[in-house]
Amino acid sequence: MAALEEAKLENFLQWLQVNEVELRGCKIKYCDSTKGFGIFSSNDVANGILLVVPLHLAITPTRVLQDPLLGPECRAMLEDGEVDDRFLIILFLTVERQRKNSSWKPYLDMLPTTFGNPLWFSDDELLELKGTTLYRATELQKKSLQSLFDDKVKNLATKLLALDGNPEREVTFENFLWANSIFWTRALNIPFPRSCVLPNISEEHDSINNRGLDASTNQISSEKLVNKENGKALQINKPESQVSGVVTTSPQGETIWVEGLVPGIDFCNHDLKPAATWEVDGTGSITGIPFSMYLLSAGQNLSQSEQEISISYGDKGNEELLYLYGFVINDNPDDFLMVHYPVDAIREVPFSEPKLQLLEAQKAELRCLLPRSLLKRGFFPHSAPEETNNEVTNARICNYSWSGLRKMPSYVNKLVFPEDFLTALRTIAMKESEVYKVSSLLEELVGSEGERQPSETEVRSAIWEACGDSGALQLLVDLINMKMMELEEGSGTEESDADLLEKAHSMENLDDCKRCGTNGSLQYPLMSRNRWSSIVYRRGQKQLTRMFLKEAEHALQLAMSEGN
């Protein structure tokens, strides 16, 4: 480790000690250029508690509002509606990094300065994502963050720095982008006793932790980021999914979950098989330190010194991992594929108005998330088939038992595609005669005068009876084929991506490169970490697209052969 990194680490360790952080069975050390710093085992501890951090050290909205210099101004911004909880932390990080005498400097100096998520890609690297959901999502988010910086952040940050006697300090978009990335890569959702969250704030503002920042940052904190132009959605979980925290003791009643950064704990890196998890000790009965977060061994033998202590960021596919954290996992078991039908395209299909009404009546979904795990119960499982979910089966069966005009499909238990999405595709694909038949069936059911509204299930059943599955499955095959064409345009096939990954070597792992010839030239061209991550992600998307296309094509063949 370079002398500069060693000096930063030494200052940070002293800062942790001053702030009553206890490293009981671990140490913090530099991993490599891709991970930065991490936490490693140092000695065996009887109770499995490796690290204890008092929660007064966590950077939360409350902590920001209690800052002696910035707190009063931030409180005024909050009460005026200029900021909310997440924005408060991101703004604080933006400003605090620029302050010459920040009390947080030893911690801030330890944090990464660049990131592997697409917001930090060069233009050429971003082109590697073209055709994927991430490409357009990144363009939209960066544009939104730039607007937010220009319209709000720059002025607010300048105002706060003036309070510190540094009016000449210029806050740049890169400063804000850094703070935004720090929050979204390191924030945890922390359970606090209510009385400890906002002790000095009026009741009117005592629930700021419940107000999201979706509108102001355009960061993905809800379940999906939707590209309104084409209906694509990117599935992203909230930061609270990063690890599984558990409140073990809480002495003061109600618990409030607050997002924040916990120095020390946040240096744990991700692994599919984590060595530890974190919990909160409200009374001090477990750690001896009340209102503390502690790192707990997950049962693995950590007596071996220098073993890295990892946590789980949750069951996230490469799309999420790359977008939020800037890394991917080869052959990620939690990968997923997003398939959608463009909302605007419905206006172009015949009988669009009645079809839109039927879609609304069914609460049908125009997009679906297809996790890799669904393939285990499909026609072509790559591993041991999963047991059939009876609830899913029953939901499908109820749509095939109205009048008995059609037989229940033989393939119903093997369909891996969500019923909410399939019923939307059935509706969109209906022919003229089928639209009239649905209308007739529903009229018979509710009366010509429309004495009542048909239920969601009744509408779905009528549509099934009128048209079966063939039209929907043909439309599904077309959508997945179209997705494959988008993915392959410009980057080639899944096989070409696999070939690139096999031959190329990361620039950041030169020691692994095999040299050939007398001049020591590299056998294969070097590849940046960002490009490598992009290719791993898009290859996984192509692989899933191919496998789900195979499922859809086979289901279509069966539907046609059975008259459905």
Side-chain angles (χ1 to χ4, degrees), residues 197-330:
V197 176
L198 303 161
N200 300 315
I201 300 176
S202 65
E203 186 69 24
E204 179 183 355
H205 298 287
D206 70 352
S207 60
I208 62 169
N209 59 297
N210 293 322
R211 297 203 298 270
L213 189 60
D214 306 73
S216 54
T217 66
N218 200 37
Q219 178 55 272
I220 298 180
S221 59
S222 59
E223 292 183 354
K224 296 174 184 175
L225 172 72
V226 179
N227 175 351
K228 294 181 180 179
E229 293 183 11
N230 59 19
K232 290 185 180 179
L234 170 62
Q235 183 80 15
I236 297 292
N237 291 336
K238 299 181 180 180
E240 55 260 39
S241 302
Q242 184 166 323
V243 292
S244 300
V246 179
V247 184
T248 54
T249 55
S250 180
Q252 300 185 37
E254 182 183 351
T255 295
I256 295 180
W257 293 79
V258 179
E259 288 172 320
L261 278 64
V262 185
I265 298 285
D266 65 345
F267 285 96
C268 282
N269 291 309
H270 170 73
D271 198 285
L272 291 174
K273 296 180 179 179
T277 185
W278 60 259
E279 298 186 5
V280 167
D281 182 6
T283 63
S285 61
I286 297 174
T287 63
I289 303 177
F291 306 118
S292 62
M293 179 181 288
Y294 60 98
L295 199 62
L296 181 67
S297 170
Q300 297 183 20
N301 183 8
L302 294 175
S303 59
Q304 180 181 356
S305 184
E306 303 296 310
Q307 178 183 343
E308 184 171 6
I309 299 170
S310 58
I311 58 176
S312 171
Y313 292 2
D315 299 334
K316 292 179 169 62
N318 282 340
E319 192 160 280
E320 289 185 77
L321 292 177
L322 182 56
Y323 190 87
L324 287 179
Y325 306 106
F327 67 88
V328 295
I329 297 173
N330 251 326

Side-chain angles (χ1 to χ4, degrees), residues 229-519:
E229 293 183 11
N230 59 19
K232 290 185 180 179
L234 170 62
Q235 183 80 15
I236 297 292
N237 291 336
K238 299 181 180 180
E240 55 260 39
S241 302
Q242 184 166 323
V243 292
S244 300
V246 179
V247 184
T248 54
T249 55
S250 180
Q252 300 185 37
E254 182 183 351
T255 295
I256 295 180
W257 293 79
V258 179
E259 288 172 320
L261 278 64
V262 185
I265 298 285
D266 65 345
F267 285 96
C268 282
N269 291 309
H270 170 73
D271 198 285
L272 291 174
K273 296 180 179 179
T277 185
W278 60 259
E279 298 186 5
V280 167
D281 182 6
T283 63
S285 61
I286 297 174
T287 63
I289 303 177
F291 306 118
S292 62
M293 179 181 288
Y294 60 98
L295 199 62
L296 181 67
S297 170
Q300 297 183 20
N301 183 8
L302 294 175
S303 59
Q304 180 181 356
S305 184
E306 303 296 310
Q307 178 183 343
E308 184 171 6
I309 299 170
S310 58
I311 58 176
S312 171
Y313 292 2
D315 299 334
K316 292 179 169 62
N318 282 340
E319 192 160 280
E320 289 185 77
L321 292 177
L322 182 56
Y323 190 87
L324 287 179
Y325 306 106
F327 67 88
V328 295
I329 297 173
N330 251 326
D331 301 318
N332 190 335
D334 298 311
D335 260 349
F336 55 79
L337 185 73
M338 180 68 75
V339 179
H340 79 285
Y341 187 91
V343 178
D344 293 341
I346 299 178
R347 299 286 180 186
E348 306 300 322
V349 302
F351 297 90
S352 60
E353 286 303 323
K355 288 180 179 180
L356 284 169
Q357 293 174 10
L358 289 170
L359 288 170
E360 184 177 351
Q362 299 171 82
K363 298 183 177 64
E365 293 288 340
L366 293 177
R367 61 178 64 87
C368 69
L369 188 69
L370 301 173
R372 180 186 291 270
S373 58
L374 286 177
L375 294 165
K376 292 181 180 179
R377 62 178 179 85
F379 298 110
F380 309 101
H382 289 260
S383 57
E386 289 185 341
E387 292 185 10
T388 303
N389 186 326
N390 289 331
E391 291 184 7
V392 174
T393 302
N394 291 336
R396 291 189 186 279
I397 290 174
C398 76
N399 290 330
Y400 305 132
S401 58
W402 187 7
S403 66
L405 295 178
R406 290 185 183 274
K407 294 181 180 179
M408 187 174 71
S410 64
Y411 50 83
V412 64
N413 292 331
K414 290 289 187 179
L415 278 178
V416 298
F417 303 100
E419 181 64 21
D420 285 348
F421 188 57
L422 285 177
T423 194
L425 297 185
R426 290 189 194 107
T427 306
I428 295 168
M430 279 194 298
K431 301 174 183 177
E432 179 179 359
S433 59
E434 293 166 344
V435 173
Y436 286 121
K437 187 172 183 179
V438 169
S439 177
S440 176
L441 287 170
L442 292 177
E443 187 175 309
E444 289 179 17
L445 190 68
V446 303
S448 58
E449 301 300 324
E451 287 81 3
R452 67 175 180 86
Q453 292 294 318
S455 69
E456 176 184 330
T457 300
E458 288 169 342
V459 175
R460 292 188 177 197
S461 297
I463 291 173
W464 154 252
E465 297 233 355
C467 59
D469 282 335
S470 297
L473 291 171
Q474 181 61 66
L475 187 52
L476 179 61
V477 168
D478 293 342
L479 289 174
I480 300 178
N481 267 319
M482 189 180 304
K483 188 170 187 70
M484 183 65 88
M485 290 175 62
E486 292 175 354
L487 287 168
E488 291 183 347
E489 184 180 5
S491 64
T493 63
E494 177 188 341
E495 290 73 20
S496 63
D497 284 341
D499 188 55
L500 282 173
L501 293 172
E502 182 181 350
K503 292 180 178 178
H505 295 261
S506 173
M507 285 183 178
E508 297 176 359
N509 292 289
L510 294 179
D511 291 342
D512 296 333
C513 293
K514 297 180 179 179
R515 299 182 178 276
C516 65
T518 57
N519 62 357

Side-chain angles (χ1 to χ4, degrees), residues 72-125:
E73 186 66 33
C74 287
R75 185 190 302 265
M77 292 177 183
L78 177 69
E79 292 178 349
D80 291 341
E82 291 186 273
V83 300
D84 55 24
D85 58 338
R86 291 172 179 166
F87 190 21
L88 203 61
I89 295 176
I90 294 171
L91 181 63
F92 178 78
L93 292 171
T94 303
V95 173
E96 201 67 18
R97 194 178 182 217
Q98 304 304 308
R99 294 175 66 184
K100 294 179 180 179
N101 299 311
S102 170
S103 61
W104 299 90
K105 182 174 173 56
Y107 170 60
L108 298 177
D109 285 347
M110 284 281 288
L111 300 179
T113 55
T114 60
F115 302 84
N117 68 61
L119 286 174
W120 294 79
F121 280 18
S122 68
D123 291 342
D124 287 343
E125 289 170 337

